[in-house]
Amino acid sequence: MLPAERRATAGLALVYGLRMLGLFVVLPVFAVYVSTLPGGQSKTMVGVALGAYGLTQALLQIPFGLWSDRIGRKPVIYFGMLLFALGSAIAALASSVQVMLLGRVLQGAGAISGAVLALTADLTRESVRTKAMAAIGMTIGLSFVLSIALAPVLAHWIGVPGIFWMTALLALAGMAVVAVLVPNPVAHAGHVVTQARRQDFARVLKN
């Protein structure tokens, strides 16, 4: 890899890692905590609150990717991280399972994975792109392992609301990493790319 490609890969892997750590770290202790909130006696509501972020992520990945084609990758990543931080703050302050559900929905609405991977592709040559994607994938796996190990300890030290505040700070740290470490991609014909992808949208959904 060229120095610029190594820098871009390291920065984006760190952004992805911070984002995934923020999502994963609460999972081992979430259900026990939410069951103590008003409305948390419903196992269905606890499960919906736990998985809601995954639903909004799945629904918004493609729209956010198309949006990043139009306005640029970094603005979409910043916006998504802000949504994630806002959702984390709401979850930290949640006084009922319904408010927790809102926080989780907003966390998932910061669907930046597609934009991050597209930015990785923008900043790397095709010959080394697989290495860059592999580095990001390794970061995701490491984040998951760290989350499982750290969650009970953090819940004991700072409580689950404290974990959510920590994830909000991780999102803001991710924005700083994008601003400082990740180079700006060369401008491209985003409108043309968007039109081409819209033509293939039905095939993408079928696949």
Side-chain angles (χ1 to χ4, degrees):
M1 285 187 181
L2 299 174
E5 290 172 325
R6 286 197 296 269
R7 178 183 172 190
T9 299
L12 291 171
L14 182 57
V15 169
Y16 226 117
L18 291 173
R19 173 83 160 83
M20 292 298 103
L21 183 64
L23 283 175
F24 292 149
V25 72
V26 76
L27 295 183
V29 294
F30 182 86
V32 173
Y33 172 74
V34 175
S35 65
T36 66
L37 298 176
Q41 294 71 36
S42 168
K43 292 182 174 62
T44 299
M45 284 301 298
V46 172
V48 170
L50 177 65
Y53 82 91
L55 177 62
T56 47
Q57 279 231 2
L59 291 175
L60 293 175
Q61 287 297 342
I62 292 176
F64 269 47
L66 292 171
W67 191 27
S68 75
D69 287 337
R70 283 196 171 274
I71 70 170
R73 314 297 187 201
K74 283 191 174 184
V76 171
I77 293 172
Y78 292 143
F79 179 71
M81 294 296 251
L82 279 176
L83 278 180
F84 182 76
L86 176 61
S88 298
I90 291 174
L93 297 170
S95 56
S96 68
V97 71
Q98 290 80 11
V99 177
M100 179 64 75
L101 174 60
L102 173 62
R104 296 289 284 171
V105 166
L106 283 174
Q107 278 189 312
I112 63 166
S113 298
V116 170
L117 292 178
L119 183 55
T120 305
D122 291 341
L123 295 172
T124 55
R125 292 165 296 154
E126 188 174 354
S127 60
V128 298
R129 196 163 296 149
T130 303
K131 293 180 181 179
M133 298 295 181
I136 291 175
M138 291 167 60
T139 305
I140 296 171
L142 179 60
S143 297
F144 184 76
V145 172
L146 286 175
S147 297
I148 298 300
L150 291 176
V153 178
L154 290 172
H156 177 71
W157 285 350
I158 61 178
V160 175
I163 293 177
F164 278 116
W165 284 120
M166 184 191 76
T167 62
L169 292 176
L170 289 176
L172 298 179
M175 293 175 64
V177 170
V178 173
V180 174
L181 293 182
V182 179
N184 291 315
V186 177
H188 58 80
H191 181 69
V192 175
V193 174
T194 301
Q195 291 297 330
R197 289 187 180 177
R198 283 177 177 167
Q199 291 172 7
D200 291 336
F201 195 65
R203 181 172 60 84
V204 170
L205 292 179
K206 181 180 178 181
N207 290 338

